[in-house]
Amino acid sequence: MATFPPLNIPPELLQELSKYTTPTGIADYAALAVLGGLGATYLAKGRLWDKPDPLEYLLYERPQLKNGGQAGSANQETRNIAQKMEETGKNIVVFWGSQSGTAEGFAHRLAREISVRWGQEAMTADLSDYDPVTISEIPVSNLAIFVVSTYGEGDPSDNTAEFWSWISRTTDVSLANLRYAAFGLGNTNYKFYNKVVDLVVEGLDKLGAGALMPVGKANDAEGATEEDFMAWKEDLFVIFKDKLGFQEVEAKYIPSLKVEEDDSLEPIDLHHGEPNNRNEAPKAAAQSSAIRTLRITDSKELFTSSDRHCLHMDVDLSSQPELSYKTGDHLAIWPGNPDVEVERLLGVLGISSRRDIPLIIRALDPATKITIPTPTSANAVFRYYLEICAPVNRDTIRDLAQFAPTPEAKAYLLRLGQDKEVYASFISRTHVNIGRLMQLACPDKTWDNIPLSYLIETLAHIKPRFYSISSSSAVSPRKPSITAIVSSTSLPDNPDELIHGVTSNYLLAISQQARSQQHPSGITYHLNGPSDALQGGKIFAHIRRSKFKLPALGKTPLIMVAAGTGIAPFRAFLSERCQVLKVGKEVGPMILFFGCRNPKEDYIYREELEEMQAALGGRLQIVTAFSRAEGTPRRYVQDRVGELGNDVMRLIEDGGNFYLCGRAGMAREVEKVVGKTMKEAKGWSDDEVNAWSKSIKKKNKWQEDVWG
């Protein structure tokens, strides 16, 4: 540190200066007091005020450095897909864009079948893992296949967003060397059916890429997605044979993973089932919080019917100060599989006694990503990481035949997997998951020759289920609530056998345990969770941000349309509007359309809604529609929207926001009714109605939170 010599100031000068620095009046003393206060305030910074946020480090934390990762290491994955294919010796890449996991599963199945049935070197690629422009470097000797889904208002999946933006805007890249095929997953209940694959194909063609065959499309409205995919796949394989000259070989499982037991590992070294969402696409990761253990503080039954269940659950964020939510967000819940199915699968594989032996999963193929945490155990894999309750598709049934313990079992599986009509009849009578299928095909023997790697590669991985938060962050900031209908449906040709939804029945079991009661159907789960992390009524969950939001101004009119548990976000909206009014701010007029079966059994939150209606003092109109009310004709929300068309149109013209929450089919019908009302009132043409619809959605004045 630098030092300076003392200043030699004459005493006479100091005496003269003191005349000007000594306070002589009230103003001087007041000024000194202010200066002193400012000084004290500054010195108290970081102690009494502007304290540092103890969680501020999370804003700068890089997830890639966790778990031993190193930024900029030599092992960092390339984002050039052409380079990746060259490095790994692949000549076919199957790109996937998936929101729920279906398209991802199709891509993996397709790549594996191309490898084992046609002897080609195929790989899968998450669209968000590679720079879009690098597909222009894929040589003409290679092939690219796109399997992409559409959801919502023609939206791409989160991991397709970057590619979607690039392919729809770029004009200065040539794809003349690219040969491709494309398959889209969609649902005609949505207005923009398969819009994503249409735009992808349009963009590829515009840049000069050559299509091997017409684009394939699946329609999930009638549950035909699986068969649509298989039909398109067989058409693709005809192209392989007739146009590309590929030679079909005997299909035999070739593992891309190696799963080994390692007794040297201790339980503390293992992943026992804790979920992980760090593999999400950047867009999805940015919208999601970290996964945390959250306690359910209260749970109540909303239905009065004894054979149907709908739960209201309050979740406590107090133990996780870094978590927060905003009104309209979603709570993602990570379930566990039921005990009966876990035990069934472990038993049929003959590994019940080895369920807790440590397993290490390694990639044999450099193009394969390991997405299950390793090391782990068979118990954790089947209970928390794989979807073992889902029905088995025909491709998998056919593949399983190669591992059958007896010739009879092999013949049984081949007949079931190769005949579309036989399979359709069978699946309508029996809910066949992987464990049940193996029991049915060969009930007296274990299937001990099936590699665990095959099941990990074949079965879909467990994904979280998303629930609209039904509370307002302004009213209940640390205790979000969800509204969950419990799914238990009977088979078309066997009404006595129920198919139980995994997550909703998992939540029901937690709710019943809190009351010291059993699940109504006797289903049990390991509710304490991996390593007892969920003991005491906790769940693994995370918050996902949503665009389904209230307008900034409380005086903006609202039209809300909901069916069933679609009421959840509107319960939150109305609660927040009541709070706005309570603090003396202006609240605009609102109409809530709500539909359910009948007013006696499933009119959920009825008392709360009526209380909020009273508190809002005539600003809220509630319009109901009951589809199974005794002595009255069936009425649906779209019918009521049509009946009150003039009121709806008036609120829209006054700057109101229109919201829809529920099944996609309902939303589509409501939009038709509103469009018809506007057309008749304004004298518009169909083109003018469509232009208006696009405009209002672009401005976020029309928002949907729909499914199915």
Side-chain angles (χ1 to χ4, degrees):
M1 180 182 294
T3 58
F4 300 93
L7 295 174
N8 294 316
I9 302 175
E12 298 82 4
L13 180 59
L14 288 173
Q15 186 175 3
E16 185 66 22
L17 287 171
S18 69
K19 296 178 183 179
Y20 300 98
T21 58
T22 303
T24 58
I26 295 175
D28 289 344
Y29 282 106
L32 284 174
V34 170
L35 291 172
L38 291 172
T41 301
Y42 177 79
L43 292 174
K45 180 180 180 182
R47 296 181 177 88
L48 300 179
W49 68 281
D50 195 28
K51 294 182 181 180
D53 183 354
L55 299 171
E56 185 180 15
Y57 71 93
L58 293 172
L59 296 174
Y60 308 100
E61 192 173 75
R62 288 186 288 173
Q64 66 269 29
L65 298 187
K66 293 185 177 181
N67 300 324
Q70 294 184 18
S73 70
N75 295 325
Q76 187 173 2
E77 287 286 335
T78 177
R79 286 187 55 81
N80 185 313
I81 184 58
Q83 180 181 334
K84 181 70 173 182
M85 294 178 74
E86 183 179 4
E87 289 174 352
T88 56
K90 306 298 181 183
N91 65 321
I92 299 178
V93 58
V94 184
F95 290 107
W96 58 267
S98 185
Q99 195 72 12
S100 66
T102 306
E104 179 184 0
F106 283 169
H108 291 312
R109 280 167 55 188
L110 180 58
R112 186 164 58 248
E113 190 167 355
I114 290 172
S115 298
V116 301
R117 186 172 165 184
W118 295 95
Q120 301 299 310
E121 293 295 331
M123 65 174 285
T124 58
D126 180 334
L127 277 166
S128 66
D129 284 347
Y130 298 94
D131 294 326
V133 70
T134 63
I135 69 169
S136 64
E137 300 176 30
I138 297 176
V140 70
S141 58
N142 293 355
L143 300 177
I145 301 172
F146 297 85
V147 181
V148 293
S149 63
T150 300
Y151 81 102
E153 284 294 306
D155 299 319
S157 62
D158 291 333
N159 76 308
T160 311
E162 182 184 3
F163 178 77
W164 161 276
S165 178
W166 178 82
I167 198 69
S168 59
R169 296 177 183 176
T170 192
T171 57
D172 57 351
V173 173
S174 172
L175 299 182
N177 286 333
L178 185 71
R179 297 183 299 167
Y180 80 92
F183 184 79
L185 288 76
N187 188 318
T188 50
N189 281 330
Y190 292 88
K191 183 176 180 180
F192 298 100
Y193 168 65
N194 262 312
K195 178 181 177 181
V196 173
V197 76
D198 285 341
L199 187 143
V200 166
V201 167
E202 180 184 329
L204 293 171
D205 292 346
K206 177 187 66 177
L207 298 175
L212 293 173
M213 58 188 292
V215 62
K217 295 181 181 180
N219 182 11
D220 200 42
E222 302 297 331
T225 296
E226 187 69 42
E227 291 297 335
D228 289 341
F229 171 71
M230 292 179 69
W232 171 82
K233 175 166 62 73
E234 290 305 318
D235 290 342
L236 175 66
F237 290 165
V238 170
I239 298 292
F240 279 6
K241 182 178 180 180
D242 296 344
K243 190 173 180 178
L244 303 180
F246 292 169
Q247 297 296 313
E248 190 169 2
V249 298
E250 182 183 357
K252 187 178 180 181
Y253 172 59
I254 302 173
S256 59
L257 297 173
K258 186 175 185 179
V259 182
E260 294 180 304
E261 294 183 351
D262 188 342
D263 290 322
S264 68
L265 295 172
E266 298 294 330
I268 195 172
D269 301 321
L270 307 185
H271 296 271
H272 296 282
E274 303 83 356
N276 177 17
N277 63 346
R278 290 181 189 144
N279 291 321
E280 288 186 325
K283 180 181 177 182
Q287 294 173 342
S288 298
S289 73
I291 300 169
R292 293 290 183 259
T293 56
L294 304 177
R295 187 166 62 91
I296 296 173
T297 57
D298 186 38
S299 177
K300 61 184 178 183
E301 180 72 60
L302 297 178
F303 284 174
T304 59
S305 171
S306 59
D307 59 344
R308 296 175 65 225
H309 301 274
C310 186
L311 302 173
H312 172 93
M313 288 183 154
D314 294 324
V315 180
D316 190 3
L317 302 182
S318 300
S319 64
Q320 308 294 342
E322 78 275 22
L323 291 192
S324 63
Y325 79 99
K326 297 295 183 184
T327 305
D329 284 346
H330 298 111
L331 186 72
I333 294 176
W334 296 77
N337 286 313
D339 293 335
V340 64
E341 298 302 340
V342 175
E343 296 302 324
R344 188 195 310 276
L345 191 49
L346 289 170
V348 79
L349 294 173
I351 58 173
S352 295
S353 62
R354 304 203 310 276
R355 69 177 67 209
D356 295 319
I357 293 178
L359 300 176
I360 294 180
I361 305 172
R362 293 188 175 93
L364 297 175
D365 186 328
T368 298
K369 290 171 65 176
I370 299 174
T371 54
I372 287 182
T374 182
T376 184
S377 67
N379 187 58
V381 167
F382 294 144
R383 189 176 296 280
Y384 297 109
Y385 294 134
L386 294 182
E387 292 274 13
I388 66 172
C389 296
V392 186
N393 59 68
R394 285 200 296 125
D395 277 348
T396 301
I397 292 175
R398 205 164 49 223
D399 286 348
L400 275 175
Q402 64 187 298
F403 305 112
T406 67
E408 294 78 14
K410 182 175 183 178
Y412 175 84
L413 292 175
L414 287 175
R415 179 170 177 267
L416 191 57
Q418 291 173 346
D419 192 315
K420 178 179 176 180
E421 300 304 323
V422 170
Y423 173 80
S425 173
F426 180 74
I427 208 74
S428 70
R429 291 179 284 106
T430 309
H431 177 64
V432 183
N433 57 39
I434 191 79
R436 292 186 184 192
L437 177 65
M438 289 190 285
Q439 275 187 338
L440 284 169
C442 191
D444 301 324
K445 291 183 179 292
T446 58
W447 294 59
D448 51 11
N449 60 338
I450 295 184
L452 283 178
S453 59
Y454 170 79
L455 296 175
I456 292 172
E457 291 180 56
T458 301
L459 300 180
H461 294 184
I462 279 186
K463 300 278 188 181
R465 275 61 165 183
F466 295 95
Y467 293 88
S468 297
I469 294 177
S470 53
S471 56
S472 162
S473 58
V475 177
S476 182
R478 304 307 298 161
K479 283 195 176 181
S481 64
I482 60 169
T483 309
I485 191 164
V486 179
S487 172
S488 294
T489 57
S490 59
L491 291 165
D493 296 338
N494 187 4
D496 294 330
E497 183 172 357
L498 295 177
I499 304 171
H500 299 286
V502 173
T503 307
S504 60
N505 282 277
Y506 171 73
L507 292 175
L508 180 58
I510 295 174
S511 177
Q512 294 294 92
Q513 184 191 52
R515 300 180 178 86
S516 300
Q517 297 175 0
Q518 291 186 340
H519 187 286
S521 298
I523 305 173
T524 60
Y525 297 81
H526 185 62
L527 297 180
N528 284 350
S531 304
D532 291 335
L534 304 180
Q535 197 166 12
K538 294 179 182 177
I539 54 174
F540 286 121
H542 70 269
I543 305 292
R544 184 177 72 175
R545 304 302 177 200
S546 168
K547 296 179 181 178
F548 198 75
K549 299 295 184 185
L550 277 166
L553 297 177
K555 63 182 181 181
T556 303
L558 306 181
I559 306 105
M560 299 163 284
V561 185
T565 54
I567 192 70
F570 301 139
R571 175 182 183 265
F573 283 11
L574 293 175
S575 177
E576 189 150 317
R577 280 285 171 101
C578 286
Q579 184 69 14
V580 168
L581 185 64
K582 192 175 181 179
V583 298
K585 294 185 178 179
E586 187 178 352
V587 169
M590 296 166 282
I591 303 178
L592 170 64
F593 294 92
F594 174 63
C596 61
R597 292 186 180 185
N598 66 70
K600 295 180 180 179
E601 293 183 359
D602 53 2
Y603 187 169
I604 58 177
Y605 299 122
R606 180 172 186 170
E607 292 182 2
E608 284 188 25
L609 291 172
E610 291 173 349
E611 288 172 3
M612 287 191 283
Q613 186 177 28
L616 288 164
R619 295 172 181 83
L620 171 64
Q621 181 182 3
I622 299 176
V623 183
T624 54
F626 304 115
S627 61
R628 301 187 189 180
E630 189 175 343
T632 61
R634 290 176 179 255
R635 301 177 91 186
Y636 299 96
V637 285
Q638 58 264 32
D639 301 324
R640 301 309 312 274
V641 170
E643 291 171 15
L644 278 77
N646 291 334
D647 294 335
V648 169
M649 190 174 68
R650 176 174 50 81
L651 292 187
I652 291 175
E653 290 182 334
D654 288 344
N657 281 20
F658 200 108
Y659 298 91
L660 284 153
C661 188
R663 293 204 167 271
M666 175 274 291
R668 182 190 60 187
E669 294 303 317
V670 169
E671 184 172 0
K672 285 181 181 178
V673 169
V674 174
K676 181 181 178 182
T677 300
M678 298 297 289
K679 180 179 181 179
E680 293 175 351
K682 302 284 189 179
W684 285 346
S685 65
D686 289 339
D687 289 342
E688 287 173 313
V689 171
N690 289 332
W692 169 80
S693 177
K694 289 180 181 178
S695 172
I696 196 172
K697 289 174 182 177
K698 190 174 182 179
K699 297 174 184 176
N700 285 327
K701 302 293 286 182
W702 182 293
Q703 298 182 35
E704 298 183 7
D705 186 357
V706 299
W707 57 87

